[in-house]
Amino acid sequence: MYKFLLLFLCFSLYLLLAQAQAPQQIQVQAKQRTLTLHISTPQPERAVLRQYNFKTQLADSAEARSEVRALVHRMQQDAYLLASADSVFLRQDTLHVKLHIGDRFEWAALRNGNLSEGILVESGFREKFYRNTPFKPAEYVKLQQRILDYAERNGYPFASVWLDSVVISGNKIEGVLMVEKAFLVTYDSLHIEGKSKTQPKFLTRYLQLYPGQPYNQDQVNASQRMLTALPYIKVTRPPQVRFYKDKATVYYFLDDRQANQLDGVVGFLPDPTRRDNKLLITGEANLNIRNIKGSGKQLGLQWRRVNRGSVVLNGEYLHPNLFGTPFELGGRFGLLKQDSSFITVQPQLQLSYYTIKYGKFSVFSEWRSANVLSTANRQSLQNLDLADARTNTYGINYLWNNLDDFYFPKRGRLVELQFSAGNKRLLRNPLFEQSFYDTLQQRTTQLSVGLQLENFLRIGKTSVLLTRLRGRALLNDQLFLNDMYRLGGLGSIRGFDDFFFYASSYAVGTLEYRLFTAEDSYVLLFYDQGYYRSDLEKSFEQDLPLGVGGGISFSTGAGIFQLVYSLGRSDQQPLTFKHSKIHFGITNKF
């Protein structure tokens, strides 16, 4: 009885092992079973075939036939126009293909039929490039497309290109390149579809789509990017063009967005002038009125209380379409009062021009007046930290922007470059001995350069990575404290008080991750790395401050609520929670 039971158990165990190994053996056999592709050609054509790489071991006949079609297509694109698979048959595990390659076709000559000089220059066509050279269909198609693109940019969207008087002798091709422009198409009008109060007259001048002007397809394509740069317009659909006879009407689908801004931000900082650990309350208020009466005009005001006794006041007015032209006139005003030390007033006048492809070019003139207050520390005067000065500068600015949204960009780039030069004149201060100015230059030349680069990279559906680099440099052999740039705070290096650093030159790199929870709400983590130097007459300072932290921004019924928590480290401030900064506020748009 026990022998029979033992024999039964051994037999059952053998069956189980056999069943477990059988699928694995079948799977291994299936993996090892492949189809071999064998391509044969006549002896004179084998050297050509060896120039091409193709798979010889494939999974099945369908994949093998696809590999043959791809090989034939590559040969035809390399001027072997008669290449073909003459016969294909399957024998056991091998797909046999007899391939015919044939001669390589060449241009004997491609002559200009009726192409104008403008088309020749834009398309790059020259007859000498098409003599005894391989006839590659892809290159000829690119030539055709360049000619058609030129025609579309110059009022001929219905142009056509073809070869005339074609002669094929052996493997030589000869022809005449012809273009038919059809008829000239001009702009008729611009229409706005949607809930927008923006005036078509303003958009016509801003986009430079004037009635009677030749139709330009590139201009229509670029107009959507130009509209995205306007903060008060939301593009709901790509533009459409309707042609009627020789006229083109462009339709834009726009809605107004809540771009007028009234907001305030409150900050709580440790008060360095007090020992009872009480907080210093700082604040900021902004008023921005955009697209006044649908004309694109903008008015902005900003007030900030940086610290005890320090105030910043900025104003701006933009007037587009100056006297009916595409030029934009802008006026700016800046005022900085630094506690009881000095006050700086900085008005600016700017004239800008928007181009279709290349962004915004501006020229500006700036007048800067720096005055030392009567309550300033005399020791600062003696150390050449402060001085009264008048500086007049003239400069140029270039801005290129293809961000997909003005307020909440998720992809795109922004580039801004600036250069200015002017004269600085020192004024004698009655608080200081007049003989002191004998050692100083009364008039000097002052230069400044600026750079800003931003890149928004979308990661998945809800994440965005922002990389930013900003920098400026002030070049003068005789700099004072009230000449310098100010760094620190929410707008530059987070984790520090506003205007914490004085810098004659600086660079700030930012890496910021944003996780969007809605179209206008996100959570952020950031890292700011800065470098600055301060070139004063009797002292020199440089540092590598950094800031890290996170925050949230989300929409509420009253507006957009923002909260940012940050830590900063520099030679003057350790990286501790004691020096952390909290900024929160609410932005109300109407």
Side-chain angles (χ1 to χ4, degrees):
M1 182 65 181
Y2 291 106
K3 292 182 180 180
F4 177 76
L5 182 59
L6 181 61
L7 182 63
F8 177 76
L9 291 175
C10 292
F11 181 73
S12 300
L13 181 60
Y14 170 78
L15 290 178
L16 290 174
L17 293 175
Q19 290 177 0
Q21 294 177 358
Q24 296 179 1
Q25 293 175 355
I26 294 174
Q27 186 176 2
V28 171
Q29 292 177 359
K31 287 183 179 180
Q32 293 176 350
R33 184 177 181 180
T34 58
L35 186 70
T36 301
L37 175 62
H38 178 73
I39 298 178
S40 60
T41 59
Q43 179 65 33
E45 298 179 349
R46 292 179 183 176
V48 177
L49 181 61
R50 284 195 292 268
Q51 299 176 7
Y52 294 87
N53 296 322
F54 55 90
K55 298 178 182 179
T56 58
Q57 300 295 323
L58 301 113
D60 50 36
S61 60
E63 188 174 336
R65 292 174 186 271
S66 177
E67 185 72 13
V68 173
R69 288 193 296 267
L71 175 61
V72 171
H73 178 73
R74 294 205 307 271
M75 290 182 171
Q76 292 174 348
Q77 292 300 314
D78 288 339
Y80 296 98
L81 303 182
L82 300 181
S84 62
D86 289 348
S87 63
V88 179
F89 60 93
L90 183 65
R91 181 180 296 170
Q92 294 181 355
D93 292 337
T94 303
L95 183 69
H96 296 269
V97 178
K98 290 185 178 181
L99 187 67
H100 171 72
I101 300 177
D103 293 332
R104 192 178 195 185
F105 281 75
E106 295 182 346
W107 286 107
L110 179 59
R111 297 186 298 275
N112 177 21
N114 61 347
L115 274 64
S116 64
E117 187 63 28
I119 295 179
L120 292 176
V121 173
E122 291 292 329
S123 65
F125 172 72
R126 294 291 184 273
E127 292 185 3
K128 63 181 180 180
F129 297 155
Y130 295 87
R131 292 175 186 163
N132 301 319
T133 57
F135 178 88
K136 296 184 178 182
E139 293 183 358
Y140 173 68
V141 170
K142 291 179 180 179
L143 174 62
Q144 283 184 311
Q145 190 59 52
R146 289 196 298 268
I147 296 174
L148 293 176
D149 290 343
Y150 173 83
E152 288 181 345
R153 293 194 302 268
N154 291 272
Y156 297 96
F158 301 104
S160 58
V161 181
W162 76 95
L163 279 178
D164 195 17
S165 304
V166 178
V167 177
I168 301 177
S169 177
N171 66 329
K172 300 289 186 177
I173 300 176
E174 183 177 349
V176 177
L177 189 62
M178 302 290 294
V179 59
E180 175 59 47
K181 294 183 178 180
F183 51 89
L184 179 66
V185 177
T186 59
Y187 290 115
D188 178 63
S189 58
L190 181 150
H191 289 266
I192 298 176
E193 302 289 336
K195 300 177 182 179
S196 177
K197 65 179 181 181
T198 303
Q199 299 176 7
K201 182 179 180 180
F202 160 68
L203 280 189
T204 297
R205 294 171 176 172
Y206 173 68
L207 302 175
Q208 303 177 37
L209 300 175
Y210 300 107
Q213 177 182 330
Y215 176 79
N216 186 341
Q217 182 62 47
D218 284 358
Q219 188 177 21
V220 175
N221 295 338
S223 63
Q224 185 168 356
R225 178 188 59 81
M226 295 179 68
L227 291 174
T228 306
L230 298 177
Y232 43 83
I233 285 179
K234 181 179 181 181
V235 180
T236 58
R237 289 171 55 186
Q240 292 184 357
V241 181
R242 297 179 185 177
F243 298 97
Y244 179 72
K245 295 184 179 180
D246 60 346
K247 299 294 182 182
T249 302
V250 186
Y251 290 82
Y252 290 97
F253 302 88
L254 310 174
D255 286 341
D256 284 337
R257 65 193 309 175
Q258 293 180 338
N260 296 328
Q261 183 179 358
L262 177 62
D263 65 71
V265 177
V266 178
F268 297 93
L269 307 175
D271 191 347
T273 63
R274 305 190 62 167
R275 299 181 179 179
D276 51 5
N277 294 327
K278 287 190 176 182
L279 295 177
L280 173 65
I281 300 178
T282 62
E284 177 180 343
N286 297 282
L287 173 64
N288 289 308
I289 307 298
R290 297 186 171 100
N291 200 19
I292 301 173
K293 295 184 179 180
S295 62
K297 299 182 179 68
Q298 300 184 45
L299 175 66
L301 293 172
Q302 180 192 52
W303 174 88
R304 298 176 64 188
R305 183 174 186 244
V306 180
N307 50 47
R308 187 179 301 277
S310 297
V311 176
V312 176
L313 178 64
N314 294 320
E316 180 182 23
Y317 175 73
L318 296 180
H319 189 105
N321 305 145
L322 183 65
F323 303 123
T325 67
F327 290 96
E328 176 187 81
L329 181 65
R332 293 182 173 87
F333 175 82
L335 182 147
L336 168 63
K337 179 182 178 296
Q338 181 64 36
D339 48 63
S340 59
S341 301
F342 62 87
I343 184 170
T344 301
V345 179
Q346 197 166 335
Q348 183 188 97
L349 194 63
Q350 178 174 293
L351 187 65
S352 305
Y353 177 77
Y354 291 89
T355 65
I356 300 174
K357 292 183 179 179
Y358 306 108
K360 176 183 177 182
F361 291 90
S362 305
V363 294
F364 64 88
S365 179
E366 186 176 84
W367 303 271
R368 190 173 187 274
S369 175
N371 295 294
V372 180
L373 299 177
S374 59
T375 55
N377 186 355
R378 290 180 177 268
Q379 186 65 31
S380 296
L381 292 173
Q382 295 174 357
N383 292 334
L384 298 181
D385 287 345
L386 299 175
D388 296 301
R390 302 290 184 269
T391 307
N392 297 333
T393 58
Y394 302 90
I396 57 175
N397 181 279
Y398 169 71
L399 174 65
W400 186 84
N401 178 1
N402 73 338
L403 302 180
D404 61 347
D405 190 85
F406 186 87
Y407 294 105
F408 303 99
K410 297 179 177 63
R411 61 167 57 92
R413 294 181 179 88
L414 182 145
V415 178
E416 184 174 9
L417 304 171
Q418 182 171 302
F419 173 81
S420 65
N423 296 317
K424 182 169 70 174
R425 179 170 57 93
L426 292 184
L427 303 179
R428 295 181 180 271
N429 192 309
L431 298 177
F432 204 74
E433 296 180 3
Q434 298 301 317
S435 60
F436 170 75
Y437 291 94
D438 295 338
T439 61
L440 299 177
Q441 300 181 43
Q442 297 299 309
R443 295 181 180 272
T444 56
T445 300
Q446 185 162 291
L447 306 176
S448 70
V449 293
L451 167 69
Q452 179 171 341
L453 303 174
E454 289 186 3
N455 182 66
F456 288 84
L457 176 64
R458 189 155 192 167
I459 306 174
K461 295 182 178 180
T462 59
S463 298
V464 174
L465 182 65
L466 163 64
T467 54
R468 178 193 294 134
L469 176 63
R470 291 174 291 182
R472 298 192 72 177
L474 193 63
L475 307 176
N476 191 304
D477 293 334
Q478 194 170 262
L479 292 175
F480 301 93
L481 202 63
N482 49 342
D483 289 327
M484 297 191 177
Y485 304 115
R486 307 297 299 274
L487 292 176
L490 200 59
S492 56
I493 306 179
R494 289 163 284 193
F496 298 92
D497 297 342
D498 290 330
F499 296 170
F500 187 75
F501 303 104
Y502 289 87
S504 57
S505 59
Y506 71 88
V508 179
T510 296
L511 185 66
E512 183 170 307
Y513 171 77
R514 297 179 180 180
L515 176 62
F516 280 83
T517 57
E519 189 68 22
D520 53 1
S521 302
Y522 58 86
V523 180
L524 66 95
L525 296 173
F526 68 86
Y527 171 72
D528 295 332
Q529 179 62 63
Y531 167 79
Y532 79 92
R533 57 184 291 166
S534 176
D535 294 310
L536 289 175
E537 184 74 14
K538 291 187 177 180
S539 64
F540 173 79
E541 181 182 345
Q542 65 178 354
D543 194 7
L544 291 166
L546 64 87
V548 294
I552 57 174
S553 174
F554 59 90
S555 297
T556 65
I560 299 177
F561 181 80
Q562 297 175 336
L563 175 65
V564 175
Y565 179 83
S566 57
L567 298 172
R569 184 199 64 78
S570 71
D571 291 343
Q572 307 174 44
Q573 176 180 299
L575 187 68
T576 61
F577 290 101
K578 179 181 178 180
H579 295 92
S580 63
K581 304 295 182 290
I582 299 177
H583 295 270
F584 65 89
I586 189 165
T587 301
N588 182 23
K589 296 180 180 180
F590 57 92

